Amino acid sequence: MMSRVPGRPWPTGTTRPVVLLGWPGRYSISPQIHNAAFREQGLDLVYLVAPTPPEAIGAVVETLGTIGAVGANVTVPHKQAVVPLCDTLTPEAERIGAVNTLSWTADGLLGDNTDAVGLANALGADIAPAPGEHYLLFGAGGAARAAAVAVGRLGGKLTVVARRVSAAQQVAQLGARSGAGPVEVIAADEISTLVRATADARIVINATPLGMNGESLPAPLMALVPGQVAYDLIYDPPATPFLEAAHRRGVDNHHGLGMLVAQAAASYRRWTGQQAPAGVMSAAATAVLTERRGRH
Ligand code: NAP
């Protein structure tokens, strides 16, 4: 049903859409990632960005079902707003309390969340962490929630650092419910406590936007030592001050493209029932980011 005839022009009148629901931007590289994979596997699907203002999200989701969309990714600011629109949630979406992947199925609209499995898979591929590793997670937003579940899945010890302690506590509790332990919470301005926790951590994850525009992280996180791992969820730019400082100090460092591609691969599997061509997706993502950097 989803296959197209090899060598024929595409898309055609039978091509079905998968869309990205976000607001405001069109800046995502998900279309390049998914369309490269659809092309590689000869699927009669096309991935488009649908900039959707918050007040329109309900109507747009309903319309997509009506016109035969296969699926959607959901990003800022809609990840929680789409939860009540779903007929069914996967246990993962239920646990995280947010949806990043919608699928229109025979049983109605299914909401899933592939961010945590994406990060757990990327961490596994990048650093192969052992159970019991200590993760220090900076941030308490949506990406941090997914990261806390990933740390739980990997059986890690978790310290959540954020400027709002109440939000950090919620992230830590989610981590604990997902299998992380022990968990602790530190306010970002408690510098002496942060120095102690950072020194004990093996993997430090930045789950804030700090670094997208050249910002540094709190000083203790900028002073990691060899043997530790700096893991930034930001992928554009690929070299944030946090990762550059780690690199200068001889510290293993990774940007967020691995997570982006791994969560995309998990969404792709939901929509198509097929194993995603991860190498093709990764090459498409790298090509578009390289091309963008060449332009700026
Ligand atoms: P979010 O829900 O808006 O959360 C952002 C978090 O960063 C909040 O905890 C916020 O604290 C904190 N923060 C922002 N500015 C800060 C500052 N100046 N000092 C301290 N904390 C600050 O955003 P998100 O969706 O979690 O995304 C976070 C980052 O992860 C973004 O850069 C995004 O690009 C990246 N990301 C990457 C992937 C991937 O696949 N690689 C996936 C998702 C997200 P407050 O709550 O106090 O404001």
Side-chain angles (χ1 to χ4, degrees):
M1 178 261 295
M2 285 184 191
S3 296
R4 59 194 168 86
V5 182
R8 293 265 178 87
W10 164 77
T12 70
T14 60
T15 306
R16 293 175 65 190
V18 178
V19 304
L20 175 65
L21 299 168
W23 185 255
R26 283 189 171 273
Y27 198 64
S28 169
I29 65 171
S30 293
Q32 288 90 335
I33 293 174
H34 284 289
N35 286 325
F38 294 153
R39 196 174 298 114
E40 169 74 14
Q41 297 196 329
L43 298 181
D44 199 10
L45 300 173
V46 67
Y47 191 108
L48 303 165
V49 174
T52 303
E55 63 276 14
I57 187 69
V60 170
V61 168
E62 191 179 340
T63 303
L64 286 169
T66 308
I67 65 166
V70 168
N73 276 137
V74 185
T75 187
V76 177
H78 303 311
K79 285 186 178 185
Q80 287 170 335
V82 299
V83 167
L85 306 178
C86 295
D87 297 302
T88 316
L89 293 178
T90 62
E92 185 85 338
E94 192 105 50
R95 190 177 305 118
I96 298 175
V99 161
N100 82 333
T101 303
L102 295 170
S103 308
W104 281 270
T105 73
D107 298 324
L109 184 57
L110 174 68
D112 191 12
N113 193 310
T114 64
D115 283 334
V117 77
L119 179 57
N121 288 348
L123 282 165
D126 288 336
I127 60 175
E133 303 268 30
H134 181 188
Y135 297 78
L136 187 141
L137 177 58
F138 181 52
R145 289 179 70 77
V149 173
V151 171
R153 179 166 288 134
L154 295 166
K157 176 181 168 185
L158 176 64
T159 299
V160 184
V161 179
R163 57 184 175 184
R164 284 188 306 122
V165 170
S166 58
Q169 275 162 345
Q170 287 180 13
V171 173
Q173 283 162 11
L174 176 61
R177 284 200 302 277
S178 308
V183 300
E184 73 171 332
V185 165
I186 299 176
D189 57 1
E190 281 178 28
I191 295 298
S192 59
T193 317
L194 185 53
V195 167
R196 192 252 319 136
T198 308
D200 186 68
R202 192 167 96 79
I203 300 142
V204 176
I205 301 175
N206 176 34
T208 75
L210 289 182
M212 292 185 89
N213 296 302
E215 309 92 336
S216 294
L217 302 191
L221 309 190
M222 301 296 282
L224 303 186
V225 296
Q228 295 185 296
V229 179
Y231 211 95
D232 206 325
L233 299 192
I234 295 172
Y235 55 86
D236 189 13
T240 57
F242 171 51
L243 296 186
E244 282 172 342
H247 178 72
R248 277 196 304 278
R249 299 169 69 90
V251 171
D252 187 17
N253 59 93
H254 303 268
H255 56 63
L257 200 58
M259 174 184 175
L260 183 77
V261 171
Q263 62 80 28
S267 298
Y268 186 96
R269 214 160 34 247
R270 272 262 169 242
W271 301 321
T272 67
Q274 293 185 194
Q275 192 71 24
V280 168
M281 291 174 133
S282 194
T286 303
V288 62
L289 290 177
T290 305
E291 190 266 334
R292 271 187 193 174
R293 278 198 295 283
R295 265 191 282 140
H296 293 134

